[in-house]
Amino acid sequence: MKPNNPFLITGYHSPEFFCDRETETSAILDALHNGRNVTLIAPRRMGKTGLIRHAFYRLKEQEPDIVTLYMDIYSTQSMGDFVRLFANTVLGKLDTAPQKALNRIGQFVRSCRPVFTFDELTGVPKVTIDVAPQEEESTLKEIFNYLGSSEKRCYIAIDEFQQIAEYPEKGIEALLRSYIQFLPNVNFIFAGSKQHLMQEMFTSSKRPFYQSTQLQTIGPIDCEAYTCFAAAHFAEHGVQLPREVFDAIYDKFDGHTWYIQCLLNRLYGYNRDVDTGLVAYATEQIVSEQSYSYADLLKAYSAGHVRLLKAIAREGCVKEVLAGDFISRHRLRAASSVSASLKKLLDNELVYQTSCGYIIYDRFMSEWLRQQPF
């Protein structure tokens, strides 16, 4: 079903509602087609998931018989969580005939008892498993054996892949690498938002995935391409989006895809020509809707943390947070205290370090912080 609003803020529909990323898409398709795994790195909400979905859409156009699978492991906390999600993502998806799927799953997965249900529309088995802690490694190996036994080519995207480094179990990277390297019919996209950790995992000679993938980073969508995309959809709707207004939106959010999409989605829904006043109104509506959750979030932080957040928000981007003039200008505590606060805010992803300096990760939260008393 065609979406009512072309500016999607969740999911993926089709190329008609996907802006640009032609260079990035071509690079991914070329790598996967030629048997190279890909590491995709970008800040959260920059459009990694949409790009992966778009690349998979293009792959299916070229090779309809392939299988494409996507899993987001951000919420997983352990190897057991990973194994369960991996099983639910993979098992039953490589066979079109339900009975064949059941037979093959039963043949390879012996360490636990899979529970089968069937998709009402497709008839494809849905598989859930309950894995005992002592059987997690065996089950993981069985799932990879199941993948390797398929006659179909399969592409699997694992989003927020850096999460495996947080698991309490040791050696997960090496274990996954040992299975992945022996799957000639399966290629992977490892996507992640923590740039330094992802680069460490794939470029350090001390790590198991060292030089095992093609590294790719994505930044903002080209402004010219984004302008044409947005203006065309507004024009189809009988509404004008002036170039200077879009440029102001793009610059305000530094091209960060999700925040631009979120604002364009609101503006499109107003069904009237767009001007700076309407943009300000839409922004205020979004910020107002989130204000309670922002205030609730900050209850978990000390006054020093909150003051640092407000200081960064007011400046927009801070090159040197520990610089004396920044600390004195905003009446912050000693540099050592600011350093400790900054580390926690970075670890919890409230603050993000860009090439230009430190910013508030959530751009709408930054707007809200600027409105709060200091």
Side-chain angles (χ1 to χ4, degrees), residues 99-112:
Q99 190 56 50
K100 183 179 179 182
L102 295 177
N103 290 339
R104 287 208 324 112
I105 293 169
Q107 178 184 352
F108 287 98
V109 182
R110 300 178 181 275
S111 60
C112 60

Side-chain angles (χ1 to χ4, degrees), residues 48 68 161 170 269 320 333:
K48 292 190 309 299
T68 58
F161 186 71
K170 304 298 182 184
E320 296 289 346
R333 295 179 179 176

Side-chain angles (χ1 to χ4, degrees), residues 9-10 21 42-50 159-160 192-193 218-221 226 253 255-262 286 290 294 361-365:
I9 53 176
T10 58
R21 299 289 193 201
R44 194 168 304 148
R45 294 182 166 181
M46 190 60 79
K48 292 190 309 299
T49 304
D159 208 350
E160 300 300 343
S193 57
I218 62 171
I221 296 170
Y226 212 159
F253 296 107
H256 207 129
T257 310
W258 186 85
Y259 300 98
I260 296 173
Q261 285 286 109
C262 190
I286 296 169
Q290 296 295 323
Y294 292 148
Y361 211 145
D362 184 329
R363 303 307 182 96
F364 292 128
M365 185 180 187

Side-chain angles (χ1 to χ4, degrees), residues 86 140-148 176 179-180 183 188:
F86 193 41
L140 184 64
K141 181 179 180 180
E142 290 167 353
I143 296 169
F144 276 108
N145 288 340
Y146 167 81
L147 277 169
L176 289 175
Y179 296 139
I180 286 170
L183 291 177
F188 289 82

Side-chain angles (χ1 to χ4, degrees), residues 76-308:
T76 62
Q77 301 295 316
S78 65
M79 180 178 171
D81 291 346
F82 179 91
V83 171
R84 291 178 186 88
L85 181 57
F86 193 41
N88 296 341
T89 301
V90 170
L91 297 181
K93 305 300 194 304
L94 277 69
D95 304 286
T96 52
Q99 190 56 50
K100 183 179 179 182
L102 295 177
N103 290 339
R104 287 208 324 112
I105 293 169
Q107 178 184 352
F108 287 98
V109 182
R110 300 178 181 275
S111 60
C112 60
R113 185 181 295 277
V115 176
F116 300 96
T117 57
F118 290 89
D119 188 292
E120 295 178 357
L121 296 177
T122 64
V124 174
K126 293 181 178 179
V127 184
T128 56
I129 61 172
D130 187 20
V131 186
Q134 65 271 20
E135 299 291 349
E136 289 168 356
E137 189 170 331
S138 297
T139 304
L140 184 64
K141 181 179 180 180
E142 290 167 353
I143 296 169
F144 276 108
N145 288 340
Y146 167 81
L147 277 169
S149 71
S150 175
E151 297 174 356
K152 288 195 172 184
R153 176 153 292 283
C154 181
Y155 300 101
I156 301 176
I158 306 179
D159 208 350
E160 300 300 343
F161 186 71
Q162 76 277 339
Q163 187 65 24
I164 68 170
E166 306 292 332
Y167 295 167
E169 299 88 353
K170 304 298 182 184
I172 304 300
E173 288 178 53
L175 188 63
L176 289 175
R177 177 80 173 98
S178 69
Y179 296 139
I180 286 170
Q181 65 183 332
F182 295 114
L183 291 177
N185 63 316
V186 185
N187 283 106
F188 289 82
I189 298 175
F190 305 104
S193 57
K194 292 189 176 180
Q195 182 173 344
H196 296 302
L197 185 50
M198 286 291 289
Q199 288 182 335
E200 169 73 14
M201 292 173 74
F202 289 92
T203 64
S204 171
S205 59
K206 299 177 181 179
R207 305 292 281 264
F209 280 95
Y210 173 61
Q211 291 189 343
S212 64
T213 68
Q214 176 176 306
L215 286 173
Q216 186 170 342
T217 59
I218 62 171
I221 296 170
D222 176 72
C223 185
E224 184 67 32
Y226 212 159
T227 300
C228 295
F229 172 83
H233 280 296
F234 273 90
E236 285 183 17
H237 198 45
V239 173
Q240 285 190 339
L241 174 64
R243 173 63 188 262
E244 63 273 14
V245 174
F246 179 84
D247 285 349
I249 295 171
Y250 187 92
D251 291 342
K252 182 180 185 65
F253 296 107
D254 299 314
H256 207 129
T257 310
W258 186 85
Y259 300 98
I260 296 173
Q261 285 286 109
C262 190
L263 197 51
L264 292 175
N265 180 283
R266 294 297 179 106
L267 295 170
Y268 186 91
Y270 295 148
N271 197 25
R272 50 175 278 200
D273 290 346
V274 181
D275 57 24
T276 55
L278 193 63
V279 172
Y281 173 77
T283 304
E284 183 55 38
Q285 287 292 108
I286 296 169
V287 172
S288 176
E289 290 163 9
Q290 296 295 323
S291 60
Y292 177 82
S293 63
Y294 292 148
D296 194 54
L297 175 65
L298 294 190
K299 290 177 182 177
Y301 293 87
S302 71
H305 290 117
V306 175
R307 192 170 187 85
L308 178 57

